[in-house]
Each structure stands twice: as C-alpha cells, then as structure tokens.
Amino acid sequence: MPDHKESHIQAPLFNTAAKALKIQCIAYCALLLAACGGGDAPTRVQSESTSAGRSALAASPHSAPSTPPLSLSAQVGQKLFFDASLSASGAMSCATCHDPQHAYGPPNARAVQLGGPKLNSAGLRAVPSLRYKLATPAYSNEQFDPDGAGAPAPGGGFTWDGRANSLAEQAALPLLSPLEMANASPEAVVKKVQAGAYAPLFLQAFGPQAFANGATAFANITAALQAFQKEDPSFRPYSSKFDLYNQRGLGKLSTAELRGKAVFNDPNSGNCAACHLPDLNQFTDHLFAAIGPPRNSAIPANAILSYMDLGLCGPARRDLKPAHAKEANPYCGMFKTPTLRNVATRSVFFHNGVITSLEQAIRFYNTRDTNPEIWYPTVGGKPVKTPSADFPTYGLITQQYRGGKVQKFNDLPAKYHANIDTQMPQDGRKAGSKPPLSEQNIADLLCFLKTLTDDYVAPASEPSTGPCVN
Ligand code: HEC
Ligand code: HEC
C-alpha cells in the first residue's frame, strides 16, 4: 500500500536534491517560529487565548480584545475586516463570509457564497476557515513535508490552490473579485477608506501622507488585514477540548474520543494524520493532494460542462505546468489539505462544498473506492425500483442502478486520474470490496474530530453516558 510520501513522488518532477529539502526545512521552521510570536513552539497554548478574551469576542466581533494590544496596523485591519462599505454592494465585509462566530468560516450551508455588486453572483469555491493559518509557508512545488520522512511536494500558500503567498497578497483577491467584494480597482477601495470613519487611524498607522499614493495606500490596506489576522488571538485560540487535554492536561478525552484519535493516527486504518498532520498542532501538513470529491451541481459555474476547477493547474492559477509539454499535468486535481481544527463547525466540506456533513465526509473517505456508485453518477444503467437492503443511504446518490457505468472522479478529466492520491483510507481498493473503516471506527473518528472545536467549556462533571463517551 503506497503511503503519503510515495504518492507525492510519483512524478519525477517532485524529486529534489537533499539541499533543497534542507533549505525548505530551514525556511519552514523559521516561519513556524515567526508565526508563533517570538519563538514560541506552535504546540504551546498561547497565553492570550483566555476565556475572557473569547467571551468578549462573542459579545462583539468588532471589538475582539487581545493581549498584547493590537498594533496600529492590526487595529486598522480589524476595522477593515468588518467594514461592509468596502464592497460594491455596500453589504459585504470579509466577516460576511469569514464569520468569527463560525471559526472565521462561512455562517451558512451554501456550497459557495453570493457576492458581487448585487450580492447575486455565486462564488466558485467553499469558504475556508481563517483560523490557524499562521504556519502556512509560501507556496512551493517542493515544500518540505513537515512529518519529516516525506519527499518535498507541492505545498503552502493561501487559498485552495496556494496562489497567494501571504495573507496580504490574499486580501487583495476578495476586495477586487467581481464575485466577492467587487471593487473596480485598488483606488476605489482606498477612496472608501479615506472617506470612512477610521481614516484618522489609518493616517496614524501609516503616516500623514498615507493616502497620497493609491498603490501604496492599497498595499497598506492589505498589510493591515494581514496584521489583524496575524496578531489577533481570536485567529488561534487553541481552546478546543483537544487542546485542554493534549496541551494543558486539564481535561481528558473520553474513551470513544481516544479510540477516534487512534483511528485518525493509524496508518493502516484512518490514516488521516498522514496529511492532516497533528504533530505541529495545525492538523494539516500544508501539502496538496488530489482526493477527487464529486462534482457539485450546486455551484452555478458547474452548469457549463467544460468548466472544471482543477486546483493547482487552474483555472484560478495557470503557472504550474508539466515538465514536458506532452505529459499530463501532474498538478491537476490537487487542492490544499485544510486544517481539521473547527471542522465540526462547518456545514459544507471540500473545495467545492459537495459534502454536507462531517459524518458524510468520513464516509466519503471510507467508501469512495468501495462504493463509488453512491458518490458519483451512473450513466446507462437501469434505475432499481426498490433498492436492495444493503444499498447505503448516506452517499450523494441515493438511486440504485442495475448495470451502467459509474463516472468516478467526475470533476477531473480522465487523463489526470493518475494524480489521485492512493493511500489509506482511499487506497484504490476495488468497488464492492470491504471498506477500511468499521461503523465503530467512523463513530469514534467523528467523536475525535469534534474535540477540535474551539471555545470548549468543560462540563462540571464528565458525563458517564451519551454519544462520544464509552
Ligand atoms: C464572498 C465571500 C468571501 C468574502 C467576502 C471574503 N472571502 Fe476570503 N475566501 C473566500 C473563498 C471562497 C476563499 C477560497 C478562495 C480560493 O480558494 O480561491 C477564501 C479564502 C481566503 C483566505 C485563504 C485561506 C486559506 O485557507 O488559504 C484568506 C486568508 C481570506 N479568504 C481572507 C479574506 C479577507 C481578509 C477578506 C476581506 C478583505 C475576505 N477573505 C473576504 C470567500 C470570501
Ligand atoms: C492524502 C492526504 C489526505 C488524507 C490521508 C486525508 N485527507 Fe482529508 N483532505 C485532504 C485534502 C487535500 C483535502 C481537500 C481536498 C479537496 O477539497 O479537494 C481534505 C479535506 C478534508 C475535509 C474537508 C475539510 C474542509 O474544511 O472542507 C475533511 C473533513 C477531511 N479531509 C477529513 C479527513 C479524515 C477524517 C481523514 C482520515 C479518514 C482524512 N481527511 C485523510 C487530504 C487528506
């Protein structure tokens, strides 16, 4: 059974000299340290993540407090983040899609959000959480694999395809995207800030001439948004049950949660840890992988059959090509491994939001290969009137067919199917064979993933019955 590392080195392109690996390592480790404020190990719980801070945040997302106080730049960033006047519609801020009450993820169950001047233009991808992004390195084709043993592989960068190398670079994208905040130009954004209530704060932060040059002012706007996301502890509270248990030794995980943790880590069962790496406490290795989630017809852009979101190979980015023009592009279908922190607070999953519950996500991992007919459409078959008793009902396709052909990986052209990752639990086993995880494994894994939700409040006494206990 191939493991994560092997799957990433299948293309010769990803082989690198040890030297490059070392450089990447140095860069990566330096970044991790910088990200954690003056050399704090990322595994350590930040002292600012107090419950007082959290409840104040809950009371007013506009006044998330922090210790030490935010820099002037970050204070400007905080105003910008919640300012709906910075959109063409006048009704959409960063927080509309990245809601602090939802771990800075989407507040609703839409696969993609509606933006644009009239708030009726559908986006192309699911909204990621903005929590725990600090350790994200800049994009590289040969990113150091933080679990140590693996060869360098595509990794890093912001957005699902890593095309923004910093939070500042990223912030320009939604401000100018016609599907999101839809400003016509950077200058249009600057004008709004200059006319707004916190223009004096902006001048205080960036100098009396801060509005003199449009390009510089816009660069400072994106720098301020970056500073807010970097400095405000609400972006990295480390306050989940897992943190209390794992880091502070305050609570303890239940028997069921511990079993789930074991499934998560076991290379021969869940194997989630291979990519959603828990070691550095981020629950991602920042690397890219092609998992092949089904095409989502709820995304209006997908009505055009020739449109396909291929992640690293486009259409949002076009810079990554195969080593030889005639080869199939090895980057197609790859998306960034998201952190699983706060994943239980989400209503839609994967880059296209096609999966609609956490349990369904786990079941997709478990039965994508053994029961592709419940995840991908079948063509040419005969619908079965009364499904057989063992036909699973938890998939995306609830109609059983006799005969026909399952369109496996229907959101990725066949020539790129070789890019699909083939390690546990999706190790390419035959349709109809036994899924790797048992019902008990699935239930336990779900319990464990729920311990990664921030703002955990320990009960006065541990329950002795109920779900996720024994
Ligand atoms: C209309 C909804 C919407 C709005 C408004 C919005 N975003 Fe996003 N955000 C998204 C989506 C969708 C993505 C994923 C984009 C992609 O992969 O191409 C994203 C990605 C990001 C990421 C990258 C996260 C990661 O995991 O790599 C950051 C950071 C971010 N947004 C910050 C912001 C900031 C700052 C603002 C305000 C200036 C903002 N967003 C406004 C929808 C939105
Ligand atoms: C080969 C690496 C790899 C392995 C192994 C892996 N994942 Fe993932 N995971 C990814 C990638 C990459 C994505 C994003 C794929 C996409 O959107 O196309 C993802 C997405 C997810 C999501 C959606 C999160 C979100 O914010 O939308 C969940 C939930 C998830 N994985 C859970 C798991 C669990 C549970 C396991 C173990 C049973 C697991 N993963 C194993 C790489 C992996």
Side-chain angles (χ1 to χ4, degrees):
M1 167 220 341
D3 70 8
H4 192 37
K5 289 94 216 175
E6 286 164 11
S7 66
H8 276 301
I9 45 172
Q10 56 189 213
L13 172 81
F14 303 145
N15 286 326
T16 352
K19 200 173 140 207
L21 173 74
K22 207 168 148 201
I23 294 167
Q24 282 298 335
C25 174
I26 292 165
Y28 186 83
C29 302
L31 210 144
L32 271 180
L33 290 180
C36 295
D40 262 15
T43 43
R44 202 174 302 161
V45 175
Q46 306 279 313
S47 57
E48 321 97 294
S49 71
T50 58
S51 54
R54 289 197 306 278
S55 52
L57 173 68
S60 164
H62 297 259
S63 59
S66 59
T67 23
L70 298 181
S71 67
L72 281 174
S73 174
Q75 287 176 41
V76 171
Q78 184 173 34
K79 303 276 188 205
L80 292 164
F81 193 91
F82 294 99
D83 186 353
S85 79
L86 297 183
S87 56
S89 63
M92 170 169 264
S93 71
C94 308
T96 307
C97 295
H98 302 286
D99 186 341
Q101 303 302 316
H102 291 83
Y104 290 99
N108 55 39
R110 287 181 190 278
V112 294
Q113 303 298 314
L114 296 173
K118 295 191 174 141
L119 292 185
N120 59 2
S121 307
L124 301 171
R125 290 178 178 164
V127 182
S129 163
L130 299 188
R131 277 193 174 159
Y132 305 103
K133 299 288 152 172
L134 284 194
T136 308
Y139 177 81
S140 164
N141 288 341
E142 292 166 347
Q143 193 65 243
F144 169 65
D145 183 348
D147 69 10
F158 296 97
T159 79
W160 284 102
D161 56 34
R163 69 191 184 283
N165 271 329
S166 67
L167 287 168
E169 215 178 280
Q170 193 287 326
L173 302 177
L175 286 168
L176 302 175
S177 163
L179 305 180
E180 297 180 338
M181 295 167 83
N183 289 288
S185 65
E187 288 70 26
V189 181
V190 173
K191 279 212 180 94
K192 288 172 183 169
V193 175
Q194 191 167 10
Y198 51 94
L201 184 63
F202 193 83
L203 293 169
Q204 210 187 330
F206 299 109
Q209 296 303 313
F211 291 115
N213 177 302
T216 311
F218 187 70
N220 282 332
I221 285 170
T222 59
L225 282 161
Q226 167 168 297
F228 173 53
Q229 292 173 75
K230 278 194 163 176
E231 290 178 31
D232 197 280
S234 66
F235 289 95
R236 49 184 157 87
Y238 291 104
S239 58
S240 64
K241 184 174 188 184
F242 173 80
D243 293 302
L244 294 187
Y245 156 79
N246 204 50
Q247 312 293 70
R248 301 182 181 179
L250 292 182
K252 63 179 176 42
L253 296 191
S254 71
T255 310
E257 290 158 350
L258 285 171
R259 278 197 310 266
K261 185 168 173 251
V263 175
F264 189 90
N265 288 325
D266 182 359
N268 296 315
S269 134
N271 193 36
C272 317
C275 305
H276 299 283
L277 183 76
D279 297 13
L280 295 168
N281 221 357
Q282 304 301 302
F283 289 89
T284 171
D285 59 7
H286 305 290
L287 300 183
F288 289 75
I291 298 292
R295 190 173 177 84
N296 190 357
S297 59
I299 299 179
N302 279 343
I304 298 166
L305 290 182
S306 60
Y307 172 82
M308 274 195 187
D309 189 349
L310 301 178
L312 277 189
C313 88
R317 68 182 297 173
R318 293 280 190 190
D319 56 326
L320 299 174
K321 307 273 185 227
H324 303 286
K326 281 190 179 150
E327 284 171 6
N329 192 327
Y331 298 100
C332 293
M334 292 178 124
F335 290 85
K336 190 168 70 169
T337 305
T339 178
L340 294 185
R341 285 182 167 277
N342 296 301
V343 74
T345 67
R346 296 185 66 82
S347 306
V348 294
F349 301 82
F350 296 101
H351 71 273
N352 61 8
V354 69
I355 298 291
T356 54
S357 78
L358 186 52
E359 181 184 330
Q360 193 179 44
I362 297 172
R363 290 190 181 281
F364 172 66
Y365 274 100
N366 196 32
T367 58
R368 182 199 71 185
D369 294 338
T370 60
N371 297 79
E373 73 281 6
I374 64 169
W375 303 108
Y376 305 96
T378 294
V379 293
K382 271 211 174 90
V384 174
K385 265 215 186 101
T386 321
S388 41
D390 62 349
F391 185 76
T393 52
Y394 46 72
L396 295 170
I397 313 277
T398 47
Q399 171 68 58
Q400 191 178 21
Y401 289 89
R402 193 147 293 129
K405 187 161 172 22
V406 179
Q407 309 293 294
K408 196 172 175 189
F409 305 130
N410 67 336
D411 213 13
L412 187 67
K415 61 181 166 189
Y416 304 128
H417 286 188
N419 299 347
I420 295 281
D421 201 281
T422 54
Q423 66 183 302
M424 281 290 271
Q426 298 178 320
D427 57 352
R429 65 185 65 195
K430 278 208 177 71
S433 60
K434 190 167 173 268
L437 304 178
S438 67
E439 286 299 309
Q440 184 72 57
N441 289 159
I442 292 168
D444 293 342
L445 202 43
L446 192 56
C447 290
F448 173 64
L449 291 174
K450 286 180 178 169
T451 72
L452 301 178
T453 301
D454 283 319
D455 303 337
Y456 176 71
V457 181
S461 63
E462 294 293 336
S464 56
T465 55
C468 295
V469 175
N470 294 310

